[in-house]
């Protein structure tokens, strides 16, 4: 039988943070968790959109859990660290972190810290957020980190010589790089958590071809007549955001979800369907490369912190 939201165990008493939760996959993930009793924190860049999502969730789920808001801009490491500190001060714990937010196929733009936007938001922002919040996850029963990737991981390549696309930039290659980085990060995080005996699961999930606001944003940014036509031709393959959210919900809640596991749709080569174990991009199976990406990510975030030391101040997160 297919796994659905009806199979989500009771989430009462659990605290979950979902980035990018004001629409699309994040909103559907929040809806399912709130319906099962979780307290869900919507981590969003726009307070207005987050409040609209909060009201929608509270109106749709009469007897579920609570919904809270947390301001976080993944394109700004100072915002990321402030958000982690605020969550620690507000709750002092965390049971589930879903690294869901992302951007796709955009022209070359830089984050506040000077990183290429797709690599900066999709990978480095979540890398820094997760590192800051792991202390709140340690010791919590069934604590998990779920990092959302995509099928673009399969054609992704980490270009260490030009990570920020300074010499040459292709928006789809940059997107594939960021999505491959998501899987590599999730796998290396599990290795490090195991080494610490932290009792925290790190998993990855991808939604297949799901209809969200990423596609219209990408098409609008392209300025091309070909991409809108291509998306119209592909329309029959797209599944709903609610279906696309199932793999990350499975990774986040299913008792059988494996530490270090990777989940995605089970039909049409992973483009749509019910959640199941999914193939990992071969490049993410190289543990040495995963460790290298981790080290480079630490160096990039550390250098950004030094550059902005006065603004960032001494932002720390204490369990």
């Amino acid at each position: 039988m297919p796994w659905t939201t009806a199979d989500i165990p009771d989430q009462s008493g659990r605290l979950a943070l979902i980035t990018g939760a004001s629409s699309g996959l994040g909103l559907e993930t929040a809806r399912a968790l709130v319906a099962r009793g979780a307290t869900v924190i919507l981590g969003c860049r726009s307070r207005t959109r987050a409040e609209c999502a909060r009201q929608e969730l509270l109106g749709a789920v009469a007897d579920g859990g609570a919904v809270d808001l947390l301001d976080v801009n993944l394109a700004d490491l100072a915002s990321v660290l402030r958000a982690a500190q605020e969550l620690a001060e507000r709750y002092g714990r965390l049971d589930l972190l879903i690294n869901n937010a992302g951007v796709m196929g955009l022209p070359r733009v830089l984050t506040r810290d000077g990183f290429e936007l797709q690599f900066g938001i999709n990978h480095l922002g979540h890398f820094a957020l997760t590192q800051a919040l792991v202390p709140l996850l340690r010791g919590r029963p069934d604590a998990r980190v779920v990092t959302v990737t995509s099928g673009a991981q399969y054609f992704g390549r980490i270009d260490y010589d030009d990570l920020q696309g300074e010499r040459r930039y292709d928006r789809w290659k940059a997107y594939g790089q960021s999505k491959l980085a998501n899987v590599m990060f999730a796998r290396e995080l599990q290795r490090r958590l195991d080494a610490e005996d932290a009792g925290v699961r790190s998993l990855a999930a991808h939604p297949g071809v799901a209809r969200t606001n990423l596609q219209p944003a990408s098409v609008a940014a392209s300025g091309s007549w070909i991409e809108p036509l291509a998306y119209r031709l592909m329309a029959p393959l797209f599944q709903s955001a609610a279906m696309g959210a199932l793999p990350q919900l499975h990774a986040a809640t299913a008792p059988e979800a494996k530490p270090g596991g990777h989940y995605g749709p089970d039909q049409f080569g992973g483009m749509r369907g019910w959640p199941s174990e999914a193939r990992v991009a071969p490049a993410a199976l190289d543990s040495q490369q995963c460790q290298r990406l981790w080290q480079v990510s630490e160096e990039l975030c550390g250098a950004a912190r030094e550059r902005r030391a006065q603004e960032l101040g001494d932002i720390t997160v204490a369990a």
Side-chain angles (χ1 to χ4, degrees), residues 264-283:
D266 63 353
Q267 300 170 22
F268 298 99
M271 289 191 290
R272 58 185 296 138
W274 306 102
S276 67
E277 287 192 67
R279 179 174 64 92
V280 175

Side-chain angles (χ1 to χ4, degrees), residues 138-302:
R138 288 194 185 98
R140 300 295 303 171
D142 196 22
R144 305 189 192 193
V145 177
V146 177
T147 301
V148 180
T149 179
S150 85
Q153 65 176 284
Y154 302 121
F155 61 77
R157 183 177 74 88
I158 308 297
D159 187 353
Y160 290 105
D161 294 326
D162 193 21
L163 274 176
Q164 312 306 331
E166 295 171 292
R167 293 201 296 271
R168 54 192 178 277
Y169 182 76
D170 179 287
R171 60 198 184 96
W172 291 113
K173 288 182 179 179
Y175 180 64
Q177 174 179 255
S178 72
K179 294 288 98 180
L180 174 59
N182 289 153
V183 185
M184 295 173 71
F185 162 64
R187 292 176 65 83
E188 178 62 13
L189 176 61
Q190 185 65 68
R191 189 189 71 81
R192 290 170 180 259
L193 291 169
D194 287 344
E196 300 171 9
D197 196 22
V200 180
R201 289 188 237 190
S202 170
L203 310 96
H206 79 85
V209 183
R211 189 172 289 105
T212 70
N213 61 357
L214 287 182
Q215 294 90 11
S218 175
V219 168
S222 72
S224 166
W225 63 270
I226 297 177
E227 286 196 19
L229 176 61
Y231 277 118
R232 283 198 294 272
L233 293 174
M234 290 177 61
L237 292 176
F238 279 73
Q239 60 182 0
S240 67
M243 282 293 294
L246 286 179
Q248 60 202 64
L249 282 164
H250 183 275
T253 66
E256 65 270 23
K258 301 174 182 177
H262 178 231
Y263 297 89
D266 63 353
Q267 300 170 22
F268 298 99
M271 289 191 290
R272 58 185 296 138
W274 306 102
S276 67
E277 287 192 67
R279 179 174 64 92
V280 175
L285 298 175
D286 187 329
S287 60
Q288 290 186 336
Q289 288 303 309
C290 292
Q291 292 174 43
R292 181 183 181 187
L293 176 64
W294 185 287
Q295 180 179 351
V296 169
S297 301
E298 279 191 329
E299 291 170 355
L300 289 171
C301 291

